[in-house]
Amino acid sequence: MAESDSDFHADRTRTSSDDAALWRRFRGVVGDDAKVSTLQKLKLTGHGPDAFSMHISNLLPPDDRRGEALMAGIWRIGQQRMVMTGGEAPWSLEMPSRHFADRVHRFGWLPDLFARGEEGAALARRLTDDWIERFGKFNGFAWRIEPTASRVWNWMRCGPALFEMGSAEERSQRIDALSRQLRYLAEVIETAHDPKSRWMAAVSLVAHSLCLRKGAGLSEALARLEGEVTAQILPDGGHVTRSPAHTLSSLLHLQTIEEALIRAQRPVPDWITKWTPRMGAMLGFFRAGDGALDTFNDGDESRAEVVEAALSRFETPPRRFLFAPKSGFQKIERGTLRFVLDCGEAPPRPFAEHARAGALGFEFSDGPARIVTSCGYSSEVNVDWQAAVRRTSAHSTLILAGRDSSAFVLNEETRMRAVTGPEGIAAKRLEEASEIWLDAQHAGYKASHGLLHRRRIFVSGAGDRLTGEDSLVRPVAQPPTDDKKGVPFEIRFHLHPTITAHMGRDAIRLVSETGAVWRFKTSHEGARLERTAYLARGVVETPEQIVLSGFADPNGDGSQPPNCIRWAFIRETAAPARPDSA
């Protein structure tokens, strides 16, 4: 994504009205405050059970860096932060933005505090009790469905350390507050239009039945969760959003439920044992050489230890494959070289309302060295940045006339823009001896400019050369245009923040922090380096990107310049393999 492409500046100072406008624009209906009737408020009253019959396990390794920062009073969400003294809660002051407040109210940070020893546990309990006093009855912003479902799940992940410590009154108030929120979720889940809200609520209600209701309502809760799994998990195990990070989080939820069912001595439904191995295999597909995940779609560099925590629960390693037809990805692995191509269309609504227009974008790495990527994504970064990286220019692919390869269509009901297409996206794979070719194309620019984007990829048998060819082709069936004016195009290769690029006379030298060194070469005139943005590590970083630009012949057949652009990445020094890669 070029600096000129984005009119979003997530780290600038904003007024409250600016922040409210951005929140409404980029969160749609799901960002609106929750409302409850008098009757619903009455249903929320009353006491919860006296105690848990069991606790779910916390399968996620703690984020030690976040826990340490919280112990020092530093609350950081993306580019924004608050420094609190004396163990004060961030909600005791005006928070920097609605996005900041949204992330805080989800309590994803709570288990990280408990992992900091007794001092951290005492602070975690004190903050939870303060939240209950301020927001425990109801609050329109904090009690929206998705944050509420995330919050109760994160509370339950803390188990006995939260709910069985402190005075009898404190323990009772925590269980009452948890039960009140779970009753609210059961009341409103049918009204949820957002898939994330439905999924998190369904998972939380299964845990509610197992942990607090001694199995009452378990069949209904499992049936609801099965419905969400059927709707949101593709036959190859990928998430319907085509996001590696969503596959990971969904798998961990199901593994937690499965483990709880076994400990409760209740049968594990066949659909759980059917889907989790598929999801594990897809997670392995998206696992990069550094152990973390690819950043496609709503994907971030999920911590490698979290990926390992999910995969390590399988008795045998998940099956390996190189083509995910339902999810729409092709992968090539040769030696330490790893290449993944996005060759799938946008998911259906409502899942397309966070989808990307990144057709034929790719990620390329050498062992633990990430080299070419996209601008990535992070739920921690402000919502305007999250929206900006949905654009085609945020991906390592070709952009024609500054347009997106997929259309963004406003859904009046949700106030969100959904991605559609692109039409005609497909990929073919050819393997001969130890060499591999991919031939992919899409017709996202056919309607506007009468041109197809075709991308051919070749990887040498030794994995030391990645060669590409991007072409713009006017189909034979498309009549020639009388407008002979050249159509501007750009091909972008977004470099990972760990890469330092050096412009040379005949090549761009790419040096990774891991020790890998590659050269980028092209026959195209005018290759240049520009600043870009990278979100996938939780903040907005500004690495570089390689940009090739020119003007395409609107009647060209793609066989020669300017409609045919060839480029290559050639290894100079290999990155060391990961210690556990053998």
Side-chain angles (χ1 to χ4, degrees):
M1 184 171 59
E3 292 173 297
S4 59
D5 286 336
S6 175
D7 55 356
F8 306 114
H9 302 283
D11 55 349
R12 69 178 173 85
T13 301
R14 296 186 175 125
T15 65
S16 295
S17 58
D18 288 338
D19 179 60
L22 287 168
W23 182 258
R24 287 193 300 271
R25 179 181 175 190
F26 295 122
R27 289 294 285 158
V29 170
V30 298
D32 291 345
D33 283 6
K35 297 178 176 63
V36 294
S37 66
T38 302
L39 178 60
Q40 286 175 315
K41 286 184 179 179
L42 287 173
K43 291 181 179 180
L44 299 181
T45 59
H47 294 288
D50 294 332
F52 279 70
S53 58
M54 65 173 294
H55 292 281
I56 62 171
S57 298
N58 181 19
L59 303 187
L60 275 71
D63 186 336
D64 292 330
R65 291 180 63 184
R66 179 161 66 178
E68 184 177 353
L70 292 173
M71 292 297 293
I74 300 171
W75 294 76
R76 186 188 300 277
I77 307 292
Q79 302 294 88
Q80 299 175 321
R81 78 172 195 162
M82 296 180 71
V83 179
M84 310 301 297
T85 59
E88 287 184 295
W91 49 77
S92 64
L93 301 174
E94 182 180 358
M95 287 188 262
S97 66
R98 280 172 171 78
H99 172 69
F100 191 103
D102 174 77
R103 303 307 301 176
V104 168
H105 281 296
R106 292 167 187 262
F107 275 72
W109 45 268
L110 191 65
D112 302 325
L113 267 182
F114 274 109
R116 304 305 298 176
E118 186 48 45
E119 186 180 353
L123 176 58
R125 288 189 287 269
R126 188 165 66 249
L127 290 170
T128 304
D129 292 341
D130 186 79
W131 188 94
I132 292 170
E133 183 178 350
R134 295 171 186 264
F135 305 102
K137 300 297 184 184
F138 183 77
N139 175 272
F141 182 83
W143 281 59
R144 289 168 296 119
I145 299 176
E146 188 195 349
T148 300
S150 296
R151 181 169 54 251
V152 299
W153 181 260
N154 289 323
W155 283 13
M156 285 191 283
R157 283 202 294 133
C158 298
L162 176 61
F163 293 103
E164 297 181 12
M165 298 295 291
S167 68
E169 182 181 1
E170 289 170 337
R171 298 195 303 271
S172 176
Q173 287 177 344
R174 291 168 197 157
I175 294 177
D176 285 350
L178 177 66
S179 299
R180 190 178 304 116
Q181 293 173 81
L182 287 163
R183 289 197 298 270
Y184 169 73
L185 289 177
E187 181 74 18
V188 300
I189 187 172
E190 299 300 338
T191 68
H193 300 294
D194 175 39
K196 291 182 182 179
S197 299
R198 292 200 309 268
W199 178 278
M200 281 307 307
V203 168
S204 299
L205 291 174
V206 174
H208 182 205
S209 174
L210 286 170
C211 298
L212 291 164
R213 302 183 66 201
K214 298 180 180 179
L218 181 60
S219 296
E220 295 85 347
L222 284 171
R224 179 182 284 111
L225 180 55
E226 181 185 9
E228 292 306 321
V229 170
T230 302
Q232 300 199 32
I233 306 301
L234 297 168
D236 58 14
H239 195 273
V240 67
T241 59
R242 307 177 61 246
S243 164
H246 287 185
T247 302
L248 172 60
S249 62
S250 300
L251 175 59
L252 283 165
H253 290 146
L254 293 184
Q255 289 177 326
T256 303
I257 295 299
E258 180 180 29
E259 193 264 356
L261 287 167
I262 292 171
R263 282 195 292 113
Q265 298 183 335
R266 294 182 178 273
V268 177
D270 291 342
W271 55 268
I272 290 183
T273 56
K274 165 190 170 183
W275 284 108
T276 52
R278 297 185 188 185
M279 297 167 73
M282 184 56 73
L283 196 63
F285 179 93
F286 285 126
R287 192 183 197 187
D290 59 5
L293 294 180
D294 294 322
T295 64
F296 294 104
N297 299 302
D298 267 4
D300 59 13
E301 283 188 41
S302 299
R303 292 181 293 133
E305 60 268 30
V306 178
V307 181
E308 178 59 28
L311 292 177
S312 66
R313 296 193 65 82
F314 294 99
E315 293 182 1
T316 57
R319 65 183 179 89
R320 296 174 61 87
F321 55 93
L322 297 173
F323 174 39
K326 298 299 182 182
S327 293
F329 290 93
Q330 288 270 6
K331 181 166 72 170
I332 299 174
E333 291 181 318
R334 280 291 180 266
T336 57
L337 183 150
R338 182 177 178 276
F339 173 92
V340 184
L341 179 72
D342 182 347
C343 49
E345 62 182 341
R349 292 186 186 181
F351 305 101
E353 293 182 358
H354 295 277
R356 306 285 183 267
L360 304 190
F362 69 87
E363 301 205 6
F364 155 52
S365 58
D366 180 11
R370 294 179 185 245
I371 299 171
V372 176
T373 180
S374 67
C375 288
Y377 170 87
S378 172
S379 58
E380 297 290 288
V381 174
N382 274 2
V383 291
D384 48 350
W385 274 108
Q386 294 178 21
V389 297
R390 299 179 67 191
R391 309 294 299 274
T392 301
S393 57
H395 299 80
S396 293
T397 188
L398 180 145
I399 305 96
L400 187 65
R403 299 173 65 100
D404 293 305
S405 58
S406 299
F408 286 83
V409 180
L410 180 65
N411 183 341
E412 297 289 351
E413 183 179 350
T414 64
R415 299 202 307 265
M416 296 288 289
R417 292 190 177 274
V419 170
T420 60
E423 64 174 286
I425 188 165
K428 295 185 295 184
R429 185 186 191 97
L430 176 64
E431 300 191 32
E432 183 176 315
S434 61
E435 298 177 333
I436 302 176
W437 288 263
L438 293 178
D439 190 344
Q441 69 177 33
H442 73 78
Y445 298 119
K446 183 179 177 183
S448 60
H449 293 87
L451 294 171
L452 306 178
H453 173 207
R454 187 177 187 185
R455 171 163 271 182
R456 294 173 174 172
I457 300 294
F458 166 76
V459 174
S460 65
D464 56 1
R465 185 182 182 96
L466 168 65
T467 303
E469 178 185 283
D470 285 293
S471 55
L472 289 163
V473 182
R474 193 168 194 89
V476 175
Q478 187 92 1
T481 177
D482 295 330
D483 185 359
K484 303 298 193 294
K485 184 178 179 181
V487 184
F489 68 83
E490 291 178 321
I491 305 171
R492 298 183 180 274
F493 303 90
H494 296 271
L495 302 176
H496 193 264
T498 55
I499 295 295
T500 301
H502 303 276
M503 179 70 77
R505 293 183 59 185
D506 61 350
I508 299 175
R509 196 165 183 259
L510 307 175
V511 181
S512 168
E513 291 178 358
T514 68
V517 181
W518 287 72
R519 285 179 291 128
F520 175 84
K521 303 191 70 172
T522 180
S523 58
H524 186 75
E525 293 289 336
R528 66 185 187 275
L529 291 171
E530 291 183 358
R531 285 292 171 187
T532 184
Y534 189 73
L535 278 59
R537 299 200 293 186
V539 295
V540 181
E541 300 177 86
T542 56
E544 291 185 291
Q545 61 177 323
I546 300 169
V547 182
L548 310 179
S549 60
F551 291 86
D553 178 355
N555 290 314
D557 63 2
S559 63
Q560 57 187 359
N563 286 40
C564 180
I565 305 94
R566 296 182 177 89
W567 46 266
F569 291 89
I570 304 163
R571 177 187 285 135
E572 188 175 307
T573 305
R578 282 181 24 193
D580 60 344
S581 62

